[in-house]
Amino acid sequence: MVAPSVPHSSPARGRGDRPEGTVTRGTTGTNRLRRMDRWIAHALGPALRSAERPPTAVDLGYGAAPWTAVELSARLRAVRPDVRTVGVEIEPERVAAALPYAEPPLLTFRRGGFEVPLDGGEGALLIRVANVLRQYEEAAVGPVWERLCGRLAPGGLLVEGTCDEIGRRHVWVALGPEGPRTVTFAARLTGLDRPSELAERLPKALIHHNVPGRPVHAFLTDLDRAWSAAAPYGAFGARQRWIATCRSVSGSWPVVDARGRWRQGELTVEWSALAP
């Protein structure tokens, strides 16, 4: 994916009508962010349905093709039909290429960066940033999070994370206006040898801290241990083994979801337990 990139240790500031950031890689693909979208639709469902006015969602840095914004729009509209999704890209050519897929006012595309250009300075109920910040220096992540959280509407959510090329393995951080809240691990369970394989998809804020003595390493170690102990459940399928694994680690880690989400191949933990 592509999005505004921080070339050094802090986000570039826009000057005049120049978006904040620079162009990064633009690779993307259809259905790549389905696991993240599914979680977002669940987590934001109450806020989407209860909003008095049509809420706005932003796909920040959708890439060289608009598929992720198109899919996000469709998935959110299944929850709230009048939700307005805005795909934001920093490169004008990518915005132009996306325009034939627009469905105003429900799906639009515009040029922009971390300033998140919305009409009238409107706040977004959702800002999604996928496969972007892993391309930055770690020192840039905190300032970018703070900048984007400042563009959220009350009750809004910033979701930032990384997945593999076809969306089988994904890890993301969810943040509210006050900062990070949770970390979610999501995977296609068939073919998963051990949960710690998700470590290669940790967001930039965590990936360099997956070393002995750090919380995220301890968590993944415990997850592998529980997965191994749950091997007998594999006779009933990978899903049942994952559910048993999640149940086990929930006894010693602050897991915030339950069986309904575990069945989806997800596990969500409080950010404070894994924070560097």
Side-chain angles (χ1 to χ4, degrees):
M1 304 210 114
V2 71
S5 172
V6 178
H8 298 295
S9 60
S10 60
R13 293 293 179 185
R15 296 179 180 178
D17 60 356
R18 177 185 173 186
E20 298 180 14
T22 58
V23 177
T24 60
R25 294 190 301 273
T27 56
T28 189
T30 59
N31 221 23
R32 186 181 184 187
L33 301 182
R34 61 194 179 278
R35 300 182 193 281
M36 181 185 273
D37 286 352
R38 182 172 60 200
W39 184 89
I40 288 170
H42 169 76
L44 269 183
L48 285 166
R49 287 186 285 265
S50 65
E52 294 183 2
R53 302 173 59 185
T56 297
V58 174
D59 186 11
L60 180 58
Y62 56 82
W67 315 134
T68 62
V70 171
E71 291 166 351
L72 178 64
S73 176
R75 288 162 181 156
L76 294 183
R77 275 192 267 173
V79 179
R80 172 72 184 245
D82 62 353
V83 64
R84 301 185 178 191
T85 300
V86 182
V88 176
E89 249 296 339
I90 198 168
E91 189 171 69
E93 292 78 8
R94 291 173 178 168
V95 177
L99 291 179
Y101 300 90
E103 301 177 51
L106 299 179
L107 175 60
T108 57
F109 298 91
R110 62 183 59 184
R111 187 183 184 213
F114 293 127
E115 75 283 359
V116 188
L118 297 176
D119 295 338
E122 175 189 8
L125 188 64
L126 168 72
I127 300 176
R128 184 185 67 185
V129 190
N131 299 310
V132 172
L133 295 185
R134 275 281 298 270
Q135 302 177 51
Y136 300 3
E137 294 180 9
E138 184 182 349
V141 174
V144 170
W145 280 359
E146 183 177 2
R147 178 76 166 119
L148 295 178
C149 285
R151 298 294 290 116
L152 293 174
L157 203 63
L158 166 64
V159 180
E160 186 270 305
T162 306
C163 69
D164 65 5
E165 289 73 12
I166 58 175
R168 295 170 301 178
R169 298 172 183 177
H170 208 154
V171 185
W172 60 81
V173 180
L175 306 91
E178 79 287 354
R181 296 175 177 173
T182 61
V183 184
T184 298
F185 299 81
R188 181 178 183 270
L189 299 175
T190 302
L192 184 69
D193 290 333
R194 60 186 188 279
S196 62
E197 291 174 350
L198 286 164
E200 65 184 18
R201 300 302 165 185
L202 286 168
K204 192 70 171 191
L206 292 173
I207 193 166
H208 297 305
H209 299 277
N210 183 31
V211 294
R214 297 297 181 91
V216 68
H217 184 272
F219 174 74
L220 290 170
T221 299
D222 282 357
L223 202 58
D224 277 354
R225 186 179 298 115
W227 177 257
S228 179
Y233 288 90
F236 304 101
R239 176 179 292 174
Q240 294 304 314
R241 185 178 182 183
W242 178 259
I243 290 172
T245 298
C246 295
R247 184 183 301 113
S248 177
V249 298
S250 68
S252 52
W253 291 88
V255 172
V256 299
D257 52 7
R259 184 185 177 91
R261 302 314 304 173
W262 301 342
R263 287 181 56 83
Q264 304 294 327
E266 299 170 7
L267 179 63
T268 300
V269 184
E270 290 182 6
W271 164 260
S272 59
L274 306 186

